């Protein structure tokens, strides 16, 4: 079950599209670049969890790695 305490990737995207919510983060990265990376990672996650019985290749991991790099640029402890 989805709730405010357990948001989905899609919910994060909707929340962070709002300029006020994005500004509240104070992140020095481009909003649209982050939202695109988040959406790419959401699609990767959904494909992996719902449709893929095969092992994940390095190329398939690129969306998750890209989002992780962005998050680490704003918080190196991630």
């Amino acid at each position: 079950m989805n709730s405010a305490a357990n948001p989905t990737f899609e919910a994060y995207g909707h929340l962070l599209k709002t300029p006020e919510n994005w500004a509240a983060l104070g992140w020095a990265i481009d909003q649209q670049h982050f939202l695109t990376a988040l959406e790419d990672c959401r699609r990767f996650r959904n494909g992996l969890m719902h449709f893929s019985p095969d092992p994940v290749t390095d190329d398939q991991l690129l969306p998750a790695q890209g989002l992780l790099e962005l998050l680490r640029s704003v918080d190196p402890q991630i």
Side-chain angles (χ1 to χ4, degrees):
M1 175 180 285
N2 298 328
S3 73
N6 191 20
T8 63
F9 272 87
E10 189 170 9
Y12 282 121
H14 287 296
L15 288 170
L16 296 176
K17 284 180 186 175
T18 306
E20 296 82 20
N21 293 343
W22 180 257
L25 292 174
W27 289 352
I29 57 176
D30 180 72
Q31 179 186 19
Q32 190 54 52
H33 181 67
F34 180 83
L35 291 173
T36 298
L38 185 67
E39 176 61 16
D40 290 347
C41 194
R42 183 192 71 77
R43 280 193 225 121
F44 162 72
R45 182 256 175 226
N46 286 351
L48 177 66
M49 299 307 290
H50 299 293
F51 307 110
S52 180
D54 301 322
V56 178
T57 67
D58 289 343
D59 285 344
Q60 289 172 311
L61 283 174
L62 290 176
Q65 291 169 335
L67 181 60
L68 182 57
E69 287 174 17
L70 277 174
L71 291 169
R72 283 184 174 154
S73 75
V74 294
D75 185 351
Q77 295 183 9
I78 294 177

